[in-house]
Amino acid sequence: MKKFTDTFVLSNGVEVPCIGYGTWQSPDGEETKNAVKSAIECGYRHIDTASAYGNEASVGDAIKESGVAREEIFITTKHWVTERGYEKTVAAAEASLKALGVDYLDLYLIHWPAVAKFSPEWKEINASTWRGFEKLYKDGKIRAIGLSNFHQLHIDALNEFAEIKPMVNQIEFHPGFTQMEVVEYSKKSGMLVQAWSPLGSGAVLSDPTVNEIAQAHGKSAAHVCIKYALQNGINPLTKSMNPSRMADNMNVFDFELTADDLKKLDSMPITGYTGWHPEDAPADALAGTVEE
Ligand code: A2P
């Protein structure tokens, strides 16, 4: 990627702006609406939300009020664990479209896989949800469909019956928590990898290795993290509520991390990991309910 307006191209030809703006933990209301409006004003054209974030209406209002045409903004939202199964999935997408105030989504993701730890029927549950995704895609309501937080076993199980293969896997990725085996397997399976929490929720920004590399390039620790994702062929979803930081996070196209920098970042000890792992997350958060 050479400039901010460059794009990744999905397996179905859909283009994804190379740096997205994330809204995890942004509360519904004026603060988030204004932050998303600022992000669009800065130049972001890729906004990532989720039904579980509870802020789709604020994101939708920001997009409407921005004055930028709907087709110029790439909108992602995600399907929550309580919405699993064909019928509920289709209804959930309709609810997200309504909350966002749009008539199509650019990308819709299964937020978390159903997993064996909570649901013995996890494969069937994910299959049923995916059938809903395929229907929405075929109906033209969604330009691309994909996954989030899926590991190899979940990807393999889904691909056994998927008529339309997933185009994206969005996972936690940053120096100090790279999940390289998931990255590689997702790419091998034809998916674009997106990085949530590319700055390690802010925790990686004080890491000495990251700062040493940043200093050597005259850049910030945030720049190093964002560039680390891009140089790994990964689409970072940066998040800041602060207009000057969100603008500054776009300035990553005037330097390159060296092979030595990348090696150092690859081998950092675990830093900034959120603890959200599909097979080992808090049961009440991810157990969900089952249909079909
Ligand atoms: P803020 O919203 O106050 O800017 P992640 O994307 O890994 O989840 O990290 C998000 C966190 O990183 C937020 O707390 C955000 O705080 C902070 N952040 C984002 N960009 C920068 C930056 N350039 N410098 C310092 N902190 C940043």
Side-chain angles (χ1 to χ4, degrees):
M1 299 294 153
K2 296 278 178 260
K3 55 185 188 307
F4 189 76
T5 50
D6 283 348
T7 55
F8 289 100
V9 182
L10 300 181
S11 55
N12 66 345
V14 165
E15 291 188 55
V16 184
C18 71
I19 298 182
Y21 178 79
T23 63
W24 181 35
Q25 294 171 327
S26 302
D28 200 34
E30 284 296 301
E31 194 189 356
T32 293
K33 185 180 83 175
N34 290 333
V36 175
K37 271 170 82 175
S38 298
I40 295 170
E41 218 166 279
C42 289
Y44 288 87
R45 291 292 179 270
H46 172 175
I47 313 291
D48 181 277
T49 181
S51 65
Y53 301 170
N55 61 19
E56 287 171 316
S58 307
V59 169
D61 287 346
I63 291 169
K64 252 172 270 148
E65 290 178 22
S66 74
V68 174
R70 160 70 187 94
E71 319 76 75
E72 284 179 36
I73 299 181
F74 188 96
I75 305 175
T76 302
T77 194
K78 310 181 197 85
H79 156 283
W80 189 234
V81 301
T82 52
E83 302 167 335
R84 288 175 178 145
Y86 179 83
E87 302 285 347
K88 280 194 184 178
T89 294
V90 173
E94 294 293 349
S96 284
L97 285 166
K98 194 162 167 222
L100 283 157
V102 295
D103 54 12
Y104 70 93
L105 296 171
D106 294 283
L107 178 63
Y108 196 41
L109 305 176
I110 301 184
H111 206 145
W112 290 91
V115 297
K117 180 172 172 181
F118 304 129
S119 321
E121 306 291 298
W122 65 277
K123 290 184 187 179
E124 290 75 14
I125 294 167
N126 290 332
S128 172
T129 301
W130 193 248
R131 278 206 305 284
F133 272 62
E134 290 177 330
K135 177 190 164 36
L136 291 157
Y137 180 74
K138 286 182 196 162
D139 286 351
K141 300 231 161 125
I142 301 173
R143 296 176 65 224
I145 50 178
L147 314 172
S148 184
N149 303 301
F150 274 56
H151 287 198
Q152 179 170 345
L153 77 163
H154 316 118
I155 296 168
D156 282 346
L158 192 98
N159 275 336
E160 260 176 47
F161 57 81
E163 189 190 320
I164 300 165
K165 298 282 185 255
M167 296 147 195
V168 166
N169 193 15
Q170 185 181 121
I171 60 171
E172 180 174 359
F173 175 91
H174 50 79
F177 195 70
T178 61
Q179 308 197 81
M180 279 305 183
E181 64 298 338
V182 184
V183 169
E184 291 312 323
Y185 198 73
S186 300
K187 287 183 179 176
K188 209 176 115 199
S189 309
M191 292 187 275
L192 170 68
V193 176
Q194 296 184 316
W196 60 263
S197 282
L199 313 180
S201 310
V204 171
L205 301 179
S206 53
D207 179 83
T209 303
V210 173
N211 279 283
E212 190 187 295
I213 293 169
Q215 254 176 18
H217 291 281
K219 301 297 290 183
S220 72
H223 293 144
V224 168
C225 293
I226 295 163
K227 195 73 177 187
Y228 181 60
L230 290 173
Q231 285 188 227
N232 274 287
I234 292 173
N235 179 197
L237 306 168
T238 65
K239 187 212 155 174
S240 175
M241 298 298 275
N242 175 297
S244 68
R245 283 195 285 278
M246 59 178 89
D248 187 50
N249 289 344
M250 297 164 69
N251 298 323
V252 295
F253 298 95
D254 56 357
F255 78 112
E256 284 289 313
L257 295 169
T258 65
D260 190 45
D261 295 336
L262 293 170
K263 206 151 90 190
K264 283 185 188 151
L265 294 167
D266 287 346
S267 50
M268 271 174 50
I270 289 183
T271 311
Y273 169 43
T274 58
W276 285 86
H277 181 287
E279 299 283 347
D280 200 22
D284 56 343
L286 295 186
T289 56
V290 176
E291 280 294 309
E292 287 203 316

mmCIF file of all heavy atoms in Angstrom, residues 109-132:
data_model
loop_
_atom_site.group_PDB
_atom_site.id
_atom_site.type_symbol
_atom_site.label_atom_id
_atom_site.label_comp_id
_atom_site.label_asym_id
_atom_site.label_seq_id
_atom_site.Cartn_x
_atom_site.Cartn_y
_atom_site.Cartn_z
ATOM 1 N N LEU A 109 -20.095 -9.625 8.917
ATOM 2 C CA LEU A 109 -19.237 -10.667 9.489
ATOM 3 C C LEU A 109 -19.945 -11.428 10.601
ATOM 4 O O LEU A 109 -20.706 -10.830 11.379
ATOM 5 C CB LEU A 109 -17.967 -10.035 10.089
ATOM 6 C CG LEU A 109 -17.105 -9.150 9.168
ATOM 7 C CD1 LEU A 109 -15.953 -8.528 9.968
ATOM 8 C CD2 LEU A 109 -16.564 -9.949 8.005
ATOM 9 N N ILE A 110 -19.669 -12.734 10.698
ATOM 10 C CA ILE A 110 -20.063 -13.491 11.899
ATOM 11 C C ILE A 110 -19.080 -13.066 12.990
ATOM 12 O O ILE A 110 -17.874 -13.318 12.871
ATOM 13 C CB ILE A 110 -19.952 -15.020 11.693
ATOM 14 C CG1 ILE A 110 -20.830 -15.500 10.539
ATOM 15 C CG2 ILE A 110 -20.308 -15.727 12.986
ATOM 16 C CD1 ILE A 110 -20.835 -17.033 10.362
ATOM 17 N N HIS A 111 -19.571 -12.407 14.030
ATOM 18 C CA HIS A 111 -18.681 -11.768 15.010
ATOM 19 C C HIS A 111 -17.805 -12.794 15.752
ATOM 20 O O HIS A 111 -16.611 -12.577 15.935
ATOM 21 C CB HIS A 111 -19.527 -10.977 16.013
ATOM 22 C CG HIS A 111 -18.808 -9.828 16.647
ATOM 23 N ND1 HIS A 111 -19.428 -8.656 16.976
ATOM 24 C CD2 HIS A 111 -17.522 -9.682 17.016
ATOM 25 C CE1 HIS A 111 -18.549 -7.824 17.523
ATOM 26 N NE2 HIS A 111 -17.377 -8.444 17.563
ATOM 27 N N TRP A 112 -18.428 -13.904 16.181
ATOM 28 C CA TRP A 112 -17.702 -14.986 16.860
ATOM 29 C C TRP A 112 -18.254 -16.317 16.392
ATOM 30 O O TRP A 112 -19.478 -16.462 16.259
ATOM 31 C CB TRP A 112 -17.870 -14.902 18.384
ATOM 32 C CG TRP A 112 -17.161 -13.739 18.986
ATOM 33 C CD1 TRP A 112 -17.677 -12.491 19.200
ATOM 34 C CD2 TRP A 112 -15.802 -13.699 19.438
ATOM 35 N NE1 TRP A 112 -16.721 -11.667 19.742
ATOM 36 C CE2 TRP A 112 -15.558 -12.392 19.909
ATOM 37 C CE3 TRP A 112 -14.776 -14.640 19.483
ATOM 38 C CZ2 TRP A 112 -14.322 -12.000 20.421
ATOM 39 C CZ3 TRP A 112 -13.542 -14.249 20.006
ATOM 40 C CH2 TRP A 112 -13.330 -12.938 20.468
ATOM 41 N N PRO A 113 -17.399 -17.326 16.200
ATOM 42 C CA PRO A 113 -17.933 -18.651 15.849
ATOM 43 C C PRO A 113 -18.625 -19.274 17.058
ATOM 44 O O PRO A 113 -18.226 -19.014 18.196
ATOM 45 C CB PRO A 113 -16.664 -19.449 15.505
ATOM 46 C CG PRO A 113 -15.566 -18.797 16.302
ATOM 47 C CD PRO A 113 -15.930 -17.329 16.359
ATOM 48 N N ALA A 114 -19.653 -20.093 16.800
ATOM 49 C CA ALA A 114 -20.116 -20.999 17.853
ATOM 50 C C ALA A 114 -18.989 -22.006 18.045
ATOM 51 O O ALA A 114 -18.336 -22.407 17.075
ATOM 52 C CB ALA A 114 -21.393 -21.689 17.409
ATOM 53 N N VAL A 115 -18.708 -22.395 19.288
ATOM 54 C CA VAL A 115 -17.565 -23.296 19.553
ATOM 55 C C VAL A 115 -17.998 -24.483 20.417
ATOM 56 O O VAL A 115 -18.997 -24.403 21.146
ATOM 57 C CB VAL A 115 -16.398 -22.541 20.241
ATOM 58 C CG1 VAL A 115 -15.854 -21.453 19.326
ATOM 59 C CG2 VAL A 115 -16.828 -21.962 21.580
ATOM 60 N N ALA A 116 -17.217 -25.565 20.312
ATOM 61 C CA ALA A 116 -17.549 -26.823 20.984
ATOM 62 C C ALA A 116 -17.689 -26.642 22.496
ATOM 63 O O ALA A 116 -18.526 -27.293 23.131
ATOM 64 C CB ALA A 116 -16.479 -27.851 20.666
ATOM 65 N N LYS A 117 -16.897 -25.751 23.069
ATOM 66 C CA LYS A 117 -16.906 -25.566 24.521
ATOM 67 C C LYS A 117 -18.301 -25.188 25.043
ATOM 68 O O LYS A 117 -18.694 -25.586 26.128
ATOM 69 C CB LYS A 117 -15.899 -24.466 24.879
ATOM 70 C CG LYS A 117 -15.794 -24.172 26.360
ATOM 71 C CD LYS A 117 -14.639 -23.215 26.608
ATOM 72 C CE LYS A 117 -14.633 -22.754 28.048
ATOM 73 N NZ LYS A 117 -13.551 -21.801 28.317
ATOM 74 N N PHE A 118 -19.034 -24.424 24.237
ATOM 75 C CA PHE A 118 -20.362 -23.973 24.676
ATOM 76 C C PHE A 118 -21.496 -24.697 23.971
ATOM 77 O O PHE A 118 -22.605 -24.759 24.487
ATOM 78 C CB PHE A 118 -20.517 -22.461 24.426
ATOM 79 C CG PHE A 118 -19.457 -21.627 25.075
ATOM 80 C CD1 PHE A 118 -18.746 -20.681 24.349
ATOM 81 C CD2 PHE A 118 -19.158 -21.777 26.426
ATOM 82 C CE1 PHE A 118 -17.755 -19.911 24.942
ATOM 83 C CE2 PHE A 118 -18.175 -21.010 27.036
ATOM 84 C CZ PHE A 118 -17.473 -20.079 26.283
ATOM 85 N N SER A 119 -21.255 -25.197 22.745
ATOM 86 C CA SER A 119 -22.338 -25.790 21.952
ATOM 87 C C SER A 119 -21.833 -27.036 21.239
ATOM 88 O O SER A 119 -21.071 -26.919 20.274
ATOM 89 C CB SER A 119 -22.828 -24.807 20.881
ATOM 90 O OG SER A 119 -22.878 -23.494 21.349
ATOM 91 N N PRO A 120 -22.261 -28.241 21.663
ATOM 92 C CA PRO A 120 -21.840 -29.454 20.963
ATOM 93 C C PRO A 120 -22.186 -29.399 19.473
ATOM 94 O O PRO A 120 -21.486 -29.972 18.644
ATOM 95 C CB PRO A 120 -22.618 -30.574 21.666
ATOM 96 C CG PRO A 120 -23.141 -29.983 22.932
ATOM 97 C CD PRO A 120 -23.162 -28.495 22.782
ATOM 98 N N GLU A 121 -23.260 -28.697 19.136
ATOM 99 C CA GLU A 121 -23.703 -28.600 17.735
ATOM 100 C C GLU A 121 -23.080 -27.403 17.025
ATOM 101 O O GLU A 121 -23.678 -26.813 16.117
ATOM 102 C CB GLU A 121 -25.229 -28.417 17.691
ATOM 103 C CG GLU A 121 -26.031 -29.464 18.431
ATOM 104 C CD GLU A 121 -25.949 -30.807 17.733
ATOM 105 O OE1 GLU A 121 -26.401 -30.875 16.593
ATOM 106 O OE2 GLU A 121 -25.394 -31.755 18.322
ATOM 107 N N TRP A 122 -21.884 -27.009 17.430
ATOM 108 C CA TRP A 122 -21.309 -25.747 16.932
ATOM 109 C C TRP A 122 -21.179 -25.706 15.413
ATOM 110 O O TRP A 122 -21.433 -24.668 14.801
ATOM 111 C CB TRP A 122 -19.961 -25.473 17.606
ATOM 112 C CG TRP A 122 -18.867 -26.457 17.301
ATOM 113 C CD1 TRP A 122 -18.670 -27.658 17.919
ATOM 114 C CD2 TRP A 122 -17.841 -26.336 16.311
ATOM 115 N NE1 TRP A 122 -17.576 -28.291 17.375
ATOM 116 C CE2 TRP A 122 -17.036 -27.505 16.388
ATOM 117 C CE3 TRP A 122 -17.503 -25.364 15.377
ATOM 118 C CZ2 TRP A 122 -15.940 -27.719 15.555
ATOM 119 C CZ3 TRP A 122 -16.401 -25.568 14.544
ATOM 120 C CH2 TRP A 122 -15.636 -26.734 14.639
ATOM 121 N N LYS A 123 -20.837 -26.853 14.800
ATOM 122 C CA LYS A 123 -20.644 -26.846 13.337
ATOM 123 C C LYS A 123 -21.962 -26.549 12.628
ATOM 124 O O LYS A 123 -22.017 -25.771 11.675
ATOM 125 C CB LYS A 123 -20.120 -28.201 12.850
ATOM 126 C CG LYS A 123 -18.699 -28.476 13.259
ATOM 127 C CD LYS A 123 -18.219 -29.781 12.651
ATOM 128 C CE LYS A 123 -16.856 -30.128 13.213
ATOM 129 N NZ LYS A 123 -16.330 -31.381 12.696
ATOM 130 N N GLU A 124 -23.035 -27.197 13.098
ATOM 131 C CA GLU A 124 -24.354 -27.012 12.476
ATOM 132 C C GLU A 124 -24.845 -25.577 12.683
ATOM 133 O O GLU A 124 -25.467 -24.985 11.802
ATOM 134 C CB GLU A 124 -25.378 -27.991 13.068
ATOM 135 C CG GLU A 124 -25.153 -29.445 12.685
ATOM 136 C CD GLU A 124 -23.976 -30.117 13.409
ATOM 137 O OE1 GLU A 124 -23.485 -29.556 14.409
ATOM 138 O OE2 GLU A 124 -23.540 -31.186 12.943
ATOM 139 N N ILE A 125 -24.551 -25.048 13.880
ATOM 140 C CA ILE A 125 -24.993 -23.675 14.178
ATOM 141 C C ILE A 125 -24.305 -22.687 13.221
ATOM 142 O O ILE A 125 -24.959 -21.834 12.605
ATOM 143 C CB ILE A 125 -24.680 -23.319 15.649
ATOM 144 C CG1 ILE A 125 -25.510 -24.187 16.590
ATOM 145 C CG2 ILE A 125 -24.939 -21.835 15.908
ATOM 146 C CD1 ILE A 125 -25.058 -24.136 18.038
ATOM 147 N N ASN A 126 -22.993 -22.834 13.077
ATOM 148 C CA ASN A 126 -22.280 -21.920 12.168
ATOM 149 C C ASN A 126 -22.748 -22.112 10.721
ATOM 150 O O ASN A 126 -22.851 -21.140 9.969
ATOM 151 C CB ASN A 126 -20.766 -22.130 12.278
ATOM 152 C CG ASN A 126 -20.219 -21.635 13.612
ATOM 153 O OD1 ASN A 126 -20.781 -20.727 14.220
ATOM 154 N ND2 ASN A 126 -19.139 -22.237 14.076
ATOM 155 N N ALA A 127 -23.054 -23.373 10.364
ATOM 156 C CA ALA A 127 -23.530 -23.652 9.003
ATOM 157 C C ALA A 127 -24.865 -22.948 8.751
ATOM 158 O O ALA A 127 -25.083 -22.352 7.687
ATOM 159 C CB ALA A 127 -23.687 -25.157 8.802
ATOM 160 N N SER A 128 -25.738 -23.036 9.732
ATOM 161 C CA SER A 128 -27.058 -22.434 9.586
ATOM 162 C C SER A 128 -26.952 -20.906 9.483
ATOM 163 O O SER A 128 -27.608 -20.269 8.653
ATOM 164 C CB SER A 128 -27.909 -22.858 10.795
ATOM 165 O OG SER A 128 -29.102 -22.174 10.799
ATOM 166 N N THR A 129 -26.098 -20.331 10.318
ATOM 167 C CA THR A 129 -25.869 -18.879 10.244
ATOM 168 C C THR A 129 -25.325 -18.508 8.864
ATOM 169 O O THR A 129 -25.780 -17.543 8.241
ATOM 170 C CB THR A 129 -24.856 -18.448 11.339
ATOM 171 O OG1 THR A 129 -25.388 -18.814 12.610
ATOM 172 C CG2 THR A 129 -24.583 -16.955 11.306
ATOM 173 N N TRP A 130 -24.375 -19.305 8.390
ATOM 174 C CA TRP A 130 -23.749 -18.985 7.096
ATOM 175 C C TRP A 130 -24.757 -19.067 5.956
ATOM 176 O O TRP A 130 -24.687 -18.296 4.989
ATOM 177 C CB TRP A 130 -22.537 -19.889 6.844
ATOM 178 C CG TRP A 130 -21.702 -19.391 5.702
ATOM 179 C CD1 TRP A 130 -21.527 -19.982 4.489
ATOM 180 C CD2 TRP A 130 -20.946 -18.172 5.651
ATOM 181 N NE1 TRP A 130 -20.709 -19.219 3.693
ATOM 182 C CE2 TRP A 130 -20.335 -18.096 4.378
ATOM 183 C CE3 TRP A 130 -20.737 -17.132 6.575
ATOM 184 C CZ2 TRP A 130 -19.533 -17.020 3.996
ATOM 185 C CZ3 TRP A 130 -19.930 -16.055 6.192
ATOM 186 C CH2 TRP A 130 -19.345 -16.012 4.920
ATOM 187 N N ARG A 131 -25.731 -19.974 6.058
ATOM 188 C CA ARG A 131 -26.771 -20.040 5.014
ATOM 189 C C ARG A 131 -27.522 -18.709 4.949
ATOM 190 O O ARG A 131 -27.893 -18.242 3.873
ATOM 191 C CB ARG A 131 -27.734 -21.198 5.265
ATOM 192 C CG ARG A 131 -27.204 -22.532 4.779
ATOM 193 C CD ARG A 131 -28.335 -23.510 4.435
ATOM 194 N NE ARG A 131 -29.262 -23.715 5.546
ATOM 195 C CZ ARG A 131 -29.009 -24.471 6.616
ATOM 196 N NH1 ARG A 131 -27.851 -25.094 6.713
ATOM 197 N NH2 ARG A 131 -29.899 -24.601 7.569
ATOM 198 N N GLY A 132 -27.743 -18.113 6.119
ATOM 199 C CA GLY A 132 -28.366 -16.781 6.157
ATOM 200 C C GLY A 132 -27.491 -15.750 5.462
ATOM 201 O O GLY A 132 -27.972 -14.913 4.691
#
